[in-house]
């Protein structure tokens, strides 16, 4: 009954704020300084969460309001031969009934493009994330109480791309090289091994066979090395090779996106780990029959790094998103999602997890002014697993206010 009352109060608050919006639109603005275009943004969110730590036991459920403030600033500059963008965002969340779950994350992203000719260019990306996994996620799924704070990490990513051709060329090719370093503050080896480095190389080639479609081929190799000493821990080091082929649609009258299918191999250094050989796919297709409505289908199958007992995770994700523009300033988004995770390993004494997660998302977006936006949202997610302690039901109801210049 208490949770119903809290939900009702939140709905009243959101309705009151949303219906007060009546004003003339105006263009957003940036600050020009020293050759840079500087754009600040502030997102403020008030939400009610009925299961903060994703637990199953009703006696352990924590209900709380959450206030999230996320300021961001973007620096952008360009000339005839290059573009540069630097974005910094801070995200601070305060739970009124569960201070153990408060967090402050930092995100820094830099990208630079250089154009040698009309058909040759390079792109550099660098990102740094000082982030977290919430209690009840990752290795604490089903046992959030073993931590008294969020599970923090540092994630560094660097990539470089060389592009030959243009979006309208008959042949367009991209070579990619990337490096990632993931380091958790909490060391939980040898129970779980999470800190790792990933070195990836790939090639993407597209051949245009019609004005609106191209054959798309993607080849990638990932070399994954974990930080734990292999003398005390059966190493999770592996190589992953994948090849995908399919069709890439340009933004034609109705259809855009990519649909590919292919093959993946994951080979572990240790014979005590379970290798994988099988089908891989990726789909991201948007159908837009009118200018005010679109349907997007996203689906992929892949092997992911493990965050619990096992060697890797067979992961299938599917999501359908409907976007509808009702008025010039009013639009809605409805999303339905399903994810299947099967934890894989060779140890016959372990009951490896098999999880199914279903999600429903609904949001209404109102552009109060060009510099002020309101979004009301409702998110529902539920997970069922062969390990009952992993099950949960979770609802989040809230309001987001976005302010720019």
């Amino acid at each position: 009954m208490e949770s119903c009352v809290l939900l009702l109060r939140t709905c009243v608050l959101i309705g009151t704020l949303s219906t007060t919006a009546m004003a003339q639109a105006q263009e957003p603005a940036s600050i020009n300084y020293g050759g840079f275009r500087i754009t600040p943004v502030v997102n403020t969110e008030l939400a009610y969460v009925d299961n903060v730590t994703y637990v199953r036991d009703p006696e352990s459920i924590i209900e709380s309001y959450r206030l999230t403030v996320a300021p961001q600033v973007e620096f952008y500059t360009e000339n005839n031969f290059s573009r540069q963008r630097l974005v910094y965002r801070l995200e601070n969340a305060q739970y009124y009934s569960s201070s153990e779950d408060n967090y402050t994350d930092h995100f820094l992203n830099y990208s630079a493009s250089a154009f040698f000719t009309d058909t040759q260019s390079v792109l550099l990306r660098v990102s740094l994330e000082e982030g977290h996994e919430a209690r009840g996620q990752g290795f604490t799924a089903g046992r959030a109480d073993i931590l008294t704070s969020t599970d923090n990490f540092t994630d560094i990513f660097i990539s470089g791309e060389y592009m030959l051709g243009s979006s309208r060329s008959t042949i367009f090719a991209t070579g990619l090289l990337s490096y990632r370093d993931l380091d958790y503050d909490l060391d939980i080896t040898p129970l779980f091994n999470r800190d790792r480095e990933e070195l990836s190389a790939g090639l993407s080639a597209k051949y245009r066979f019609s004005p609106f479609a191209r054959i798309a081929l993607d080849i990638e190799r990932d070399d994954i090395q974990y930080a734990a000493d292999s003398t005390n821990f059966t190493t999770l080091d592996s190589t992953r090779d994948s090849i995908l082929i399919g069709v890439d649609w340009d933004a034609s009258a109705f259809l855009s996106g990519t649909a590919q299918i292919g093959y993946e191999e994951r080979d572990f250094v240790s014979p005590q780990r379970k290798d994988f050989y099988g089908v891989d796919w990726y789909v991201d297709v948007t159908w837009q029959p009118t200018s005010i409505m679109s349907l997007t289908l996203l689906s992929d199958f892949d092997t992911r790094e493990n965050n619990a007992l096992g060697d890797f995770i067979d992961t299938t994700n599917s999501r359908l998103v409907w976007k509808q523009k009702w008025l010039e300033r009013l639009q809605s988004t409805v999303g339905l999602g399903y994810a299947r995770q099967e934890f894989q390993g060779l140890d016959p004494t372990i009951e490896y997890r098999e999880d199914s997660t279903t999600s429903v998302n609904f949001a209404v977006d109102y552009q109060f002014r060009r510099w002020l936006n309101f979004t009301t949202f409702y998110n529902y997610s539920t997970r069922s697993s062969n390990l009952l302690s992993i099950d949960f039901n979770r609802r989040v109801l809230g309001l987001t206010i976005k302010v720019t210049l």
Side-chain angles (χ1 to χ4, degrees), residues 151 184-190 192-195 228:
D151 187 16
Y184 284 84
D185 294 352
L186 180 61
D187 183 6
I188 55 173
T189 55
F192 300 121
N193 188 10
R194 305 179 296 170
D195 298 347

Side-chain angles (χ1 to χ4, degrees), residues 245-262:
I245 188 168
V247 179
D248 180 81
W249 291 276
D250 293 335
S252 62
F254 301 107
L255 198 64
S256 63
T258 300
Q260 295 176 295
I261 190 169

Side-chain angles (χ1 to χ4, degrees), residues 86-271:
L86 177 67
V87 180
Y88 170 72
R89 180 166 66 90
L90 180 147
E91 184 174 309
N92 176 264
Q94 302 288 323
Y95 288 85
Y96 289 93
S97 302
S98 180
S99 60
E100 296 88 350
D101 297 288
N102 295 346
Y103 66 85
T104 301
D105 292 346
H106 302 269
F107 306 87
L108 184 65
N109 294 277
Y110 172 77
S111 63
S113 301
F115 307 96
F116 304 124
T117 67
D118 291 340
T119 58
Q120 293 188 68
S121 61
V122 294
L123 172 62
L124 172 69
R125 291 192 178 99
V126 179
S127 68
L128 170 65
E129 178 182 351
E130 293 282 351
H132 80 285
E133 285 185 355
R135 293 195 304 158
Q137 297 286 75
F139 85 97
T140 64
R143 48 181 186 174
D145 57 350
I146 68 174
L147 291 181
T148 58
S149 64
T150 58
D151 187 16
N152 301 324
F153 61 81
T154 301
D155 193 354
I156 300 173
F157 180 79
I158 304 171
S159 72
E161 299 179 30
Y162 172 76
M163 288 161 280
L164 181 63
S166 67
S167 60
R168 304 306 303 175
S169 300
T170 303
I171 297 177
F172 177 69
T174 302
L176 170 68
L177 187 65
S178 68
Y179 169 79
R180 183 190 184 195
D181 183 5
L182 179 62
D183 184 16
Y184 284 84
D185 294 352
L186 180 61
D187 183 6
I188 55 173
T189 55
L191 181 59
F192 300 121
N193 188 10
R194 305 179 296 170
D195 298 347
R196 61 183 181 267
E197 296 181 347
E198 301 176 12
L199 182 63
S200 302
L203 174 66
S204 174
K206 298 180 180 181
Y207 175 76
R208 182 172 298 281
F209 64 90
S210 84
F212 301 110
R214 300 178 289 186
I215 295 174
L217 174 67
D218 291 298
I219 302 171
E220 185 175 341
R221 181 180 180 88
D222 305 313
D223 185 2
I224 304 160
Q225 296 187 358
Y226 281 77
D229 185 352
S230 59
T231 60
N232 299 320
F233 187 87
T234 303
T235 180
L236 279 166
D237 294 356
S238 67
T239 56
R240 174 183 171 274
D241 297 284
S242 66
I243 180 169
L244 290 168
I245 188 168
V247 179
D248 180 81
W249 291 276
D250 293 335
S252 62
F254 301 107
L255 198 64
S256 63
T258 300
Q260 295 176 295
I261 190 169
Y263 179 75
E264 178 181 330
E265 291 185 359
R266 180 185 284 265
D267 296 310
F268 286 91
V269 172
S270 171

Side-chain angles (χ1 to χ4, degrees), residues 20-33:
T20 59
M22 295 291 291
Q24 294 295 319
Q26 69 180 59
E27 292 293 329
S30 300
I31 301 171
N32 294 314
Y33 181 79

